[in-house]
Amino acid sequence: MRRLQMDGRTTATALAAEVGLTVAPCHRRLKELESSGVIQGYRAVLDAAKVGLAFEALVFVTLRDRQHMLRFEAEVAGIPQVVEALRLFGEPDFLLRVRAVDLAAYQRFYDEVLVGLPGVEKLTSTIVMKNVKDGGQLPV
């Protein structure tokens, strides 16, 4: 699993050789991991700066009350600029990772989208200066 997290395009043949199995059992194990949901999918990792989305902000969101929780979550899930959304214990209620072209674009997004989300009481933004570690690989 560690190898697949580093390179999801690794073939079953290459993976089998690396872990000391023949191809058939390795392929079968991959299919089992996929069908059981351990492997949820495969994707390409894009360079945000090279696609014009170098600006990143972390937004802490506090809701007025819990009545808006599900509507807030549903709306956030449909916003492409929000690349990650985490519900937190305590306050704030959520942490959003937002991507934009630049500060001006983020400010428009903040004013036109974030402040209008259901139940928002308070938004606090911080700008990401440098991403030191990214990738989200699990320690397995």
Side-chain angles (χ1 to χ4, degrees):
M1 286 188 279
R2 186 173 325 173
R3 177 74 170 110
L4 285 172
Q5 287 186 98
M6 291 187 296
D7 182 5
R9 295 180 70 178
T10 300
T11 65
T13 304
L15 190 58
E18 195 170 313
V19 298
L21 289 174
T22 60
V23 175
C26 185
H27 190 265
R28 190 169 39 255
R29 178 72 175 134
L30 280 172
K31 291 299 174 194
E32 288 170 5
L33 290 169
E34 290 169 353
S35 65
S36 69
V38 172
I39 296 176
Q40 295 181 341
Y42 302 91
R43 64 186 181 116
V45 178
L46 304 179
D47 183 320
K50 290 182 180 175
V51 296
L53 295 170
F55 184 88
E56 183 176 12
L58 301 178
V59 183
F60 299 94
V61 181
T62 302
L63 299 182
R64 279 190 295 279
D65 53 53
R66 300 289 180 224
Q67 294 174 3
H68 297 91
M69 188 80 59
L70 295 179
R71 281 187 47 230
F72 177 87
E73 290 178 356
E75 284 200 34
V76 164
I79 301 172
Q81 294 90 334
V82 177
V83 296
E84 186 175 17
L86 304 169
R87 185 171 165 193
L88 308 174
F89 278 107
E91 285 195 27
D93 296 308
F94 290 90
L95 170 60
L96 309 179
R97 260 182 68 215
V98 175
R99 285 289 185 167
V101 172
D102 56 22
L103 179 59
Y106 173 70
Q107 187 250 313
R108 283 190 304 277
F109 176 74
Y110 183 98
D111 292 344
E112 296 170 8
V113 178
L114 292 178
V115 297
L117 289 169
V120 169
E121 178 178 289
K122 180 181 175 184
L123 296 169
T124 305
S125 296
T126 188
I127 297 170
V128 175
M129 182 171 29
K130 178 181 178 183
N131 192 327
V132 178
K133 181 179 180 182
D134 199 10
Q137 295 178 0
L138 297 177
V140 294

